Amino acid sequence: MSNQRFSRRQFLRGAAVVGAAVPFLQACGGPSPDSGSADAGADDAAPSMEKTSVRYAQVIGPLDKQVDMFNEQSDTVHVEFELVPWGEHADKLLIDVAAGTAPDLWFIGGPWWIQIKRKEVALPITEFLANDPDVVMDDFEFPADSDWGTVDGEIYGLPTNSVILRGLAYSEDRFEEAGLDLPNEDWTLADVAEVGPKLNRGDESFAITSPLLAADLYLTTIWQNGGQVINEDESKCLLDQPEAVEAIDQLVAWREFSMKPGADQALGEFPTAGGKIAMWPMVLADWDTWLKRTANDTTNQWMTFWPSTTNPPAVDVYAGSVHMEAIWSQSEKIDAAWEFFIWRAINQDSLDYQITLFPINYRMEATVKSAITNERQADFLTLHLPITGLSTGEYWGPSTTEILNAFRSEYELAILGEKTTQEAMDAATKAIDVILEDV
Amino acid sequence: MATAVSQASSPFRRTRLSRTALFENIAGYLFISPWIVGFLAFEFGPLIAAGYLGLTRYDILTPPNFVGLANYDKMFTRDPLFWKSLWVTAVYSLSTVFLGVILGVALAVLLNQKVRGMSLYRTIYYLPAVVSGVAVAYMWIWVFTPEAGIVNYALSLIGITGPNWLFSTTWTLPAFVAMSLWAVGGGMVLYLAGLQGVPTQLYEAASLDGAGRWASFWNVTLPMISPVIFFNFIIGIIGSFQVFTNSFVITNGGPANSTLFFVLYLYRHAFENFRMGYAAALGMILFIVIMTLTVISFRLSNRLVYYEGRIT
């Protein structure tokens, strides 16, 4: 054992260090709900020249410019932009809400919105919308968006942008080389299957990206074929029914001429620019992404609607994601938050800026005409207008992520050829029925 | 008097601390108090909370409802993915821990030689242990991609058509095991330290007794570094049962749940499915599994690990 002894001075120094560590550790815990900014509670305070500061969490980085524009224009409110990565935005919001430290305004992806919109996390805004003289409800152009934010007639949120519908992008060069007609809005999945083998060149370049698609495309395909994921009272899965199985089977067939599943990830974000893929799913009217994926629109590619299962489809419908924004129901600065919230959604400067990035849901058509001078860009942005009236939010059921995972794991077995589509959907149905029992 | 005698002869007699000793004790506790506070607040507290939440239905956003053992009942009787994720994790853990120990020791032995530039080699082998998990995951996507990946390219040079590593129910888990070995340098450093602590006279004595290199390794080196191997083994078990990043980033549990590791499954319930109560129950099961394996390992260590100077 050491004979070393502490002197009183050494002891006091040590104690001081420990004492100093306590506030440090406290600081590491993050701000308390009411200590986030110097002017917290300013709404209740006497009139002041200081702006009320509100926090706005968003996953889309370029929207910080919208915040800058607002901060310049507003005399009373200052918005603090908090960029959150897409992959963790929902986790972070849940934890922040549970801890009582959520931002005053926040973005949330469609699948998570479905699961929280009934939990009183978002502020009901029907009255705010009705009483705001600047809001013209009819100028919200996409019916799916409005429905998405509503629970039992009460509106809880507004979409960040228009409903996200995916279309079929294609390389004109590849089709011309193969002597094939270009895809058009009348195309069916059978047309894709017909041209697929002619466009596929084995390991060199592929007819289409893998049959692993975004969830909204599975849903569009099932719904268009008259199928459903679950029944009306949400007690039974219907993926084993012939309409759903037949629809899914058409996608599974792509494995014969598509890039191997799992390989597209390694090609990075923009595999289509190099001409390795003749057809690929792409969000309609997302100009910013289009530029990135087509080397600034220099690769001779264009888009059309996602092919239906039959022409005409059994049900004329397109499923899309709707990402929402809402005001936290426990925010202490609701009026200030509302001021920015509605400005972002309907102010013409805000819309003019946002339309340069991706489609909006308020006065979309008029804004394209007034704000976009590039003719091709304007054509691109308005491509989806003919089908937006047919669009609806992507809904897999009450526990949407869990049901989707159950579907996807069996669908993957069908793609791998380890199960027939019918066997896979039978198994998915069984798994989803257990989930529905427990919701 | 009788009481005094009894107190004096009791082995549990409380000794009165001198002022200095008391002072030192208080100082010691004060110095470790940040750790104690951290442990209570961030580890023991959450453990107790998870134990309680595992008995509730809790979606994070509304107050928990007590449901008794319903979560555990569902887990053991109606949730095939619970068993699937446990199985996937156990296979991964078994493979990575044993392969990691063998490869780590082998590398350490190689890097314990007196060769020029050895510091550089050691640094190179250790580097992967300090690279960010997500960045490494993206690198592996490239390495294992079926058409253009370096692994399948290397296999093609010897006439083998490589599989679709990251989208095959057969090959995805082996690919993950291979990825885990990339970070074997972390353990290797400890083995290396252990090797350098083996007294050279033991090798000399073994040599005089006629032992060859293999016999020396088997009878001298391995027993002498067995505490380090045991330490890495325990840490390896604990770490491998908590594997998450690679499967979250690369396969998200797929294809067909073939890489659905236990913690990924737990994460999905907690943050995607809004079933924090169920996730807490899963967490308790994970705790029990790891604790059981650790206790078994410690029991076995009495027979397999040699501690220098220990009286047996």
Side-chain angles (χ1 to χ4, degrees):
Chain A
M1 183 187 272
S2 163
N3 288 324
Q4 194 180 351
R5 295 271 184 267
F6 289 110
S7 70
R8 278 175 195 277
R9 181 171 293 176
Q10 283 171 315
F11 171 75
L12 289 172
R13 273 189 198 152
V17 169
V18 172
V22 173
F24 172 74
L25 286 171
Q26 281 179 332
C28 291
S32 63
D34 53 0
S35 67
S37 58
D39 54 357
D43 274 1
D44 305 327
S48 156
M49 292 306 288
E50 276 190 34
K51 291 182 175 185
T52 303
S53 185
V54 294
R55 293 166 56 212
Y56 171 47
Q58 175 56 266
V59 301
I60 304 165
L63 291 187
D64 64 347
K65 288 195 182 64
Q66 223 170 20
V67 169
D68 292 343
M69 288 161 65
F70 174 81
N71 285 339
E72 272 178 31
Q73 289 182 23
S74 176
D75 296 328
T76 54
V77 178
H78 177 83
V79 177
E80 292 167 22
F81 186 80
E82 297 178 5
L83 183 62
V84 188
W86 163 261
E88 58 200 60
H89 80 282
D91 308 5
K92 191 168 181 334
L93 180 65
L94 286 185
I95 293 163
D96 280 348
V97 167
T101 57
D104 302 287
L105 307 105
W106 35 263
F107 166 98
I108 189 159
W112 294 278
W113 172 255
I114 295 168
Q115 294 175 98
I116 72 160
K117 71 178 182 179
R118 292 177 182 274
K119 295 191 186 292
E120 296 174 10
V121 175
L123 181 78
I125 54 171
T126 313
E127 263 187 54
F128 284 82
L129 287 165
N131 295 334
D132 195 315
D134 297 330
V135 179
V136 180
M137 287 305 285
D138 286 345
D139 285 353
F140 285 98
E141 291 180 338
F142 304 110
D145 287 353
S146 312
D147 295 347
W148 209 238
T150 305
V151 179
D152 300 332
E154 181 75 62
I155 303 171
Y156 286 87
L158 292 176
T160 300
N161 43 281
S162 77
V163 60
I164 297 167
L165 293 172
R166 253 164 266 261
L168 182 75
Y170 53 87
S171 158
E172 295 182 40
D173 291 342
R174 290 286 305 277
F175 273 81
E176 279 164 20
E177 279 166 30
L180 296 165
D181 291 335
L182 297 178
N184 60 53
E185 59 194 54
D186 294 326
W187 261 36
T188 64
L189 294 178
D191 291 313
V192 177
E194 194 187 323
V195 301
K198 297 170 190 164
L199 289 163
N200 192 35
R201 297 184 197 148
D203 289 352
E204 289 300 312
S205 55
F206 305 89
I208 196 161
T209 43
S210 85
L212 294 178
L213 300 170
D216 47 89
L217 291 178
Y218 302 133
L219 214 47
T220 296
T221 308
I222 294 167
W223 284 349
Q224 284 186 342
N225 209 43
Q228 288 290 339
V229 175
I230 53 175
N231 65 356
E232 213 159 292
D233 67 4
E234 303 190 335
S235 61
K236 177 85 185 74
C237 176
L238 301 174
L239 282 171
D240 58 350
Q241 298 303 301
E243 296 85 357
V245 173
E246 191 183 278
I248 293 299
D249 206 33
Q250 296 197 55
L251 299 177
V252 169
W254 289 7
R255 68 176 184 219
E256 302 300 331
F257 50 82
S258 67
M259 173 173 282
K260 283 179 192 163
D264 21 7
Q265 253 185 310
L267 289 179
E269 207 183 343
F270 320 118
T272 49
K276 284 201 79 169
I277 300 168
M279 294 178 285
W280 41 286
M282 157 82 201
V283 173
L284 284 157
D286 181 352
W287 182 248
D288 193 42
T289 305
W290 177 260
L291 291 181
K292 288 173 184 161
R293 293 196 172 177
T294 58
N296 281 326
D297 201 26
T298 59
T299 52
N300 206 17
Q301 305 195 29
W302 197 238
M303 285 186 72
T304 185
F305 305 145
W306 188 252
S308 52
T309 49
T310 54
N311 190 9
V315 181
D316 218 352
V317 64
Y318 291 84
S321 306
V322 187
H323 301 322
M324 299 298 292
E325 289 187 28
I327 297 173
W328 184 30
S329 58
Q330 303 303 310
S331 168
E332 293 175 353
K333 304 166 187 175
I334 285 170
D335 289 336
W338 172 258
E339 199 172 313
F340 173 68
F341 182 82
I342 200 63
W343 179 93
R344 208 201 66 71
I346 68 167
N347 178 275
Q348 197 57 50
D349 292 339
S350 163
L351 299 176
D352 283 350
Y353 171 67
Q354 194 169 318
I355 196 68
T356 62
L357 303 169
F358 44 75
I360 54 180
N361 52 57
Y362 195 79
R363 296 182 182 147
M364 159 92 180
E365 212 167 346
T367 304
V368 169
K369 282 181 188 150
S370 66
I372 304 296
T373 51
N374 177 340
E375 206 174 305
R376 184 163 161 94
Q377 184 182 357
D379 286 349
F380 183 88
L381 288 169
T382 50
L383 253 178
H384 69 318
L385 289 180
I387 59 164
T388 43
L390 305 170
S391 68
T392 186
E394 172 200 343
Y395 183 68
W396 287 83
S399 185
T400 198
T401 49
E402 206 172 3
I403 291 172
L404 181 56
N405 279 331
F407 162 78
R408 201 174 258 155
S409 60
E410 291 299 330
Y411 173 70
E412 286 168 350
L413 286 175
I415 290 177
L416 287 166
E418 293 184 22
K419 282 184 178 177
T420 64
T421 306
Q422 183 68 59
E423 287 168 348
M425 290 305 107
D426 286 347
T429 300
K430 206 170 149 191
I432 292 168
D433 280 345
V434 172
I435 294 167
L436 291 172
E437 269 174 32
D438 201 33
V439 170
Chain B
M1 185 65 187
T3 311
V5 169
S6 140
Q7 274 181 355
S9 57
S10 165
F12 303 110
R13 184 171 60 92
R14 292 183 65 183
T15 52
R16 197 184 166 89
L17 292 175
S18 68
R19 264 178 75 91
T20 315
L22 184 68
F23 192 63
E24 277 191 7
N25 274 359
I26 293 171
Y29 281 115
L30 267 176
F31 276 111
I32 61 168
S33 61
W35 183 88
I36 291 175
V37 169
F39 174 74
L40 291 175
F42 301 119
E43 291 182 45
F44 188 69
L47 181 69
I48 300 298
Y52 166 68
L53 290 175
L55 302 172
T56 66
R57 188 182 175 95
Y58 178 42
D59 64 7
I60 310 179
L61 302 172
T62 50
N65 289 324
F66 187 78
V67 293
L69 296 172
N71 287 329
Y72 295 95
D73 176 47
K74 181 187 170 189
M75 204 182 292
F76 290 115
T77 59
R78 289 183 295 127
D79 184 359
L81 290 184
F82 163 71
W83 295 108
K84 173 85 181 175
S85 62
L86 203 55
W87 172 250
V88 167
T89 311
V91 171
Y92 173 83
S93 181
L94 204 67
S95 315
T96 54
V97 171
F98 280 102
L99 288 174
V101 166
I102 292 167
L103 198 62
V105 170
L107 269 177
V109 169
L110 280 176
L111 294 176
N112 198 31
Q113 310 303 310
K114 291 187 174 64
V115 180
R116 266 182 76 177
M118 189 50 77
S119 307
L120 181 67
Y121 291 126
R122 287 174 186 170
T123 308
I124 288 171
Y125 277 103
Y126 185 68
L127 266 181
V130 296
V131 180
S132 145
V134 174
V136 170
Y138 276 97
M139 181 198 77
W140 285 115
I141 292 174
W142 280 88
V143 169
F144 280 113
T145 188
E147 274 99 14
I150 193 168
V151 173
N152 278 4
Y153 174 72
L155 289 173
S156 73
L157 294 179
I158 51 172
I160 297 173
T161 305
N164 188 345
W165 293 96
L166 300 179
F167 201 81
S168 153
T169 49
T170 310
W171 289 103
T172 313
L173 201 52
F176 274 74
V177 172
M179 291 175 208
S180 77
L181 297 179
W182 192 64
V184 80
M188 180 270 298
V189 170
L190 298 178
Y191 295 127
L192 199 53
L195 285 173
Q196 290 176 352
V198 179
T200 49
Q201 59 266 36
L202 292 181
Y203 291 113
E204 289 162 9
S207 175
L208 287 172
D209 286 344
R213 293 180 80 126
W214 175 248
S216 287
F217 175 76
W218 190 253
N219 296 306
V220 177
T221 308
L222 269 187
M224 292 302 288
I225 65 165
S226 59
V228 183
I229 295 176
F230 178 63
F231 172 78
N232 272 337
F233 184 79
I234 296 291
I235 295 295
I237 287 176
I238 294 171
S240 60
F241 263 88
Q242 296 177 64
V243 64
F244 174 77
T245 310
N246 277 359
S247 99
F248 182 64
V249 174
I250 299 175
T251 57
N252 196 20
N257 296 323
S258 60
T259 56
L260 183 65
F261 292 108
F262 199 85
V263 175
L264 177 62
Y265 187 52
L266 186 157
Y267 168 85
R268 279 187 183 173
H269 275 297
F271 296 108
E272 291 181 0
N273 305 339
F274 292 65
R275 296 184 196 273
M276 189 58 89
Y278 195 70
L282 287 168
M284 292 310 292
I285 294 294
L286 181 63
F287 171 71
I288 291 166
V289 168
I290 292 177
M291 181 63 91
T292 306
L293 290 172
T294 307
V295 169
I296 292 170
S297 304
F298 269 97
R299 288 278 163 86
L300 289 174
S301 76
N302 288 333
R303 276 187 283 163
L304 299 173
V305 179
Y306 169 73
Y307 288 101
E308 200 176 2
R310 185 174 68 177
I311 299 164
T312 52

